[in-house]
Amino acid sequence: MTYIQPSLNSDLDSLQNLPGWVSSIRAETSEDMAFLSGGALAALHVVLTRATVPHALLRERLALRAAESCLALAGRPEQTAAMRDEVHMLRPGDQPGPAGAVFQQWRRSVARPISVATLKRALPETFANHLPGWLRGGRGGPVARAAQVLQTVLTECPGEDTVALILADSALARAVGWDHALPLLAAGLTGRDLRQTGADLRLACHRSIVTSADQAATTASDLARRTAKLKAVTPKLRAKAAGPAVQMFLTKDALSPSVALSGIMSDRAARRLCDRLVDLGAVRELTGRDTFRLYGV
């Protein structure tokens, strides 16, 4: 039997949102909701196996969404643009504000494979001694484990919603066999959900995954098409450092020409390259400003 490797176009064409029944069926019982969340995770797993999905970039985009949700849970909602500025305009040695710090925690938690070392890099030192036990916590299926970790962290450290959600998403990803954490729970859980325990919290987590997995699959499909466009126009770029710059766009949520690209080309060349990519329809300018701009796929 001969296996035919799918072409780039066919791989892109096969990327779809999750099956309609996952989100359209009205769950009547907790067993129904568990079935739907399992189907959502299985379908998302298939999407994530596609070679055309830019996994690092996807995790960064979902980390941004998770940070927004965590800030809303804390009663201080922040706009995407403001968080991007706080993080992507940072110079070496600078520290972000409170909103940017939450975004940084999520970015660092998903940037490297799941481990205690990764979580120590992402979270404040005050939690370092707790991380091994928290990450190992939880029994049963993936969602049950994540819910148990979430409840444990919130019980031992009340009010630390971001820490708890990062640990829960890490536990979930490890349970389903993913190397990296994928922010899913934070985007769908409410403040009321986080005050639940036991079966009620598990049900809330199942419900969150049905919604968030669908959003993640949609984002993955969109980014796959956008990055395919960026790769297609790369041969048209004349800048000597265009290749390394494009690779950065494939992994980062946003880039500042004067910050992120300063190590590989001059400030003027970096701005010219970014504007050229915008003209080619390969990247977008994300701020709407004339100066201090940010660019992303």
Side-chain angles (χ1 to χ4, degrees), residues 11-255:
D11 197 23
L12 287 173
D13 291 341
S14 67
L15 279 171
Q16 304 176 19
N17 298 341
L18 300 192
W21 58 264
V22 171
S23 56
S24 63
I25 294 177
R26 181 176 178 179
E28 300 291 344
T29 66
S30 58
E31 288 80 7
D32 290 340
M33 186 56 69
F35 173 76
L36 293 177
S37 72
L41 284 173
L44 177 59
H45 180 80
V46 173
V47 172
L48 296 177
T49 61
R50 301 295 186 184
T52 48
V53 173
H55 294 89
L57 178 55
L58 173 63
R59 293 194 301 270
E60 284 236 333
R61 287 287 163 84
L62 296 182
L64 179 62
R65 187 177 300 162
E68 289 178 316
S69 297
C70 286
L71 289 165
L73 288 171
R76 43 192 180 90
E78 192 77 28
Q79 293 184 345
T80 298
M83 277 197 296
R84 277 183 168 141
D85 280 352
E86 283 196 36
V87 170
H88 296 299
M89 301 298 292
L90 284 178
R91 296 285 182 176
D94 291 345
Q95 295 296 323
V102 173
F103 184 22
Q104 285 281 52
Q105 288 176 348
W106 277 103
R107 292 181 75 215
R108 289 171 177 167
S109 71
V110 303
R112 299 181 181 183
I114 303 165
S115 68
V116 171
T118 294
L119 293 169
K120 285 183 177 180
R121 181 174 176 269
L123 301 175
E125 293 182 7
T126 52
F127 302 106
N129 292 334
H130 298 277
L131 295 177
W134 283 343
L135 191 58
R136 290 195 303 268
R139 295 181 180 179
V143 180
R145 292 187 190 185
Q148 288 177 43
V149 170
L150 185 59
Q151 180 174 327
T152 298
V153 177
L154 289 176
T155 299
E156 296 181 12
C157 301
E160 295 293 346
D161 297 349
T162 298
V163 176
L165 287 164
I166 287 175
L167 265 295
D169 269 322
S170 297
L172 175 70
R174 174 175 276 188
V176 297
W178 296 338
D179 293 334
H180 294 74
L182 195 69
L184 292 177
L185 291 169
L189 291 172
T190 66
R192 181 180 179 181
D193 292 332
L194 296 182
R195 294 191 293 272
Q196 304 294 328
T197 59
D200 291 333
L201 181 57
R202 286 196 301 275
L203 180 60
C205 288
H206 282 302
R207 188 182 301 114
S208 174
I209 286 170
V210 171
T211 300
S212 299
D214 189 43
Q215 294 173 344
T218 300
T219 302
S221 300
D222 178 60
L223 291 177
R225 291 175 174 84
R226 290 181 180 274
T227 54
K229 172 67 173 178
L230 177 57
K231 292 176 182 178
V233 305
T234 299
K236 300 179 181 179
L237 305 175
R238 297 180 180 179
K240 292 182 179 179
V246 166
Q247 288 303 311
M248 294 179 70
F249 276 112
L250 294 174
T251 59
K252 303 297 181 184
D253 162 66
L255 295 179

